[in-house]
Amino acid sequence: MTQSEKRTAVVLGAGGLVGAAWETGILRGLADAGTDLAGADLVVGSSAGAVVGAQLAAGAPGLDELYERQLSGAASEPAARLGLPLVLRYAVAVLTARTPEAYGRRIGALALGARTVGEAERRETVARRLGPALDWPARRLLVTAVDALSGELVAYGADSGVPLPDAVTASCAIPGLWPPATIDGRRWIDGGIHSTANAHLAAGYDRVVVIAPTAQGNKVVLSPARQGAALAATGARVEVITPDAASRKAIGRNPLDPALRAAAARAGCAQAARHAEAVAAVWSG
């Protein structure tokens, strides 16, 4: 296989509005350092990463504008928060599950029984986030979601026949906070429930960069680092980027608070400089 035939993939993980801002900052910082990941052959997006991934793959409105939007301070939606009772229910689901699918079923049941805003209202919010990136791009994009009944992961692409805003709305359907999204008669919840990055979907690609606002894993949800290591074990060149101490401080304790976006974006852009050499080696190796 020649250098030109080696395929590249970018994986963008879950992490709320603030995590999306941090991802945008990382992408902007890497581009400033000379490695623009927008040319990837594959973009995988989960939850917040689905929004950023759709915009990155579409090339619209462009990385510079996406970054500036994070710094504007304008909040297109109110802050939200996962309350302690909901967090505890997530924890119980982890403790009583043995597989990601079992965990997905338990969390799916929680989501199906929760009182939330309506599906149409939620879809409108997500569509506003996407901006002009409302159609599937020519570049290959996979958007993850989890079946609320079976707990199984799906990766929507352009060939799925599902409108992009619907797929991204499903991927961003945080259980207990936002309504499961209905697609083809089935209910779907946040793609980050299966894993916070879903980097395994980049299997078969030669050069992979994983950008994941949520670094942690547990006994059923694999961490981005473990998924990256599994890809590397197959011969891929992989760089996994998760928040450093400064970025974790900027992201704060509520990744759903739009007021934290600017600080997170700036922290991501600054952190990118420390990964630039490693990412360039992966991307050109």
Side-chain angles (χ1 to χ4, degrees):
M1 178 177 287
T2 66
Q3 176 68 32
S4 62
E5 292 172 325
K6 291 186 177 180
R7 298 189 302 165
T8 57
V10 175
V11 177
L12 298 162
L17 283 170
V18 186
W22 176 82
E23 288 177 327
T24 303
I26 289 285
L27 291 167
R28 168 65 183 275
L30 292 175
D32 287 348
T35 304
D36 187 351
L37 302 184
D41 297 307
L42 168 69
V43 177
V44 177
S46 297
S47 197
V51 177
V52 179
Q55 294 165 329
L56 182 71
L63 191 53
D64 288 344
E65 183 175 337
L66 287 175
Y67 181 71
E68 291 302 321
R69 283 184 181 181
Q70 305 303 325
L71 305 183
S72 69
S76 59
E77 54 192 275
R81 179 181 290 275
L82 293 176
L84 181 59
L86 185 56
V87 171
L88 290 176
R89 293 184 70 181
Y90 275 52
V92 169
V94 167
L95 292 173
T96 57
R98 294 186 177 182
T99 66
E101 291 76 21
Y103 177 58
R105 289 193 294 272
R106 286 164 171 75
I107 295 297
L110 180 160
L112 291 169
R115 289 187 175 184
T116 65
V117 301
E119 285 190 55
E121 179 180 344
R122 180 59 184 162
R123 186 187 187 279
E124 289 177 3
T125 297
V126 173
R128 284 197 302 272
R129 283 192 205 169
L130 288 171
L134 295 176
D135 297 314
W136 288 99
R139 192 171 307 284
R140 190 178 185 217
L141 169 67
L142 295 179
V143 172
T144 68
V146 169
D147 187 308
L149 291 179
S150 71
E152 294 175 340
L153 180 74
V154 68
Y156 288 113
D159 59 354
S160 67
V162 174
L164 180 59
D166 291 354
V168 176
T169 300
S171 191
C172 294
I174 299 173
L177 186 64
W178 307 125
T182 302
I183 299 176
D184 295 333
R186 299 169 72 180
R187 308 294 301 283
W188 300 93
I189 58 175
D190 196 300
I193 293 299
H194 189 270
S195 79
T196 58
N198 292 307
H200 65 288
L201 294 175
Y205 284 76
D206 306 282
R207 293 172 277 160
V208 183
V209 175
V210 180
I211 303 173
T214 305
Q216 296 86 357
N218 52 52
K219 71 184 183 74
V220 292
V221 177
L222 294 181
S223 69
R226 287 182 63 186
Q227 290 193 322
L231 291 173
T234 68
R237 300 191 68 168
V238 182
E239 176 71 4
V240 177
I241 302 174
T242 57
D244 62 12
S247 288
R248 290 195 299 272
K249 182 178 180 180
I251 290 171
R253 296 187 177 183
N254 184 9
L256 303 175
D257 185 353
L260 302 176
R261 291 180 306 147
R266 290 191 180 97
C269 193
Q271 181 181 343
R274 294 188 286 279
H275 296 272
E277 184 176 348
V279 170
V282 166
W283 218 239
S284 61

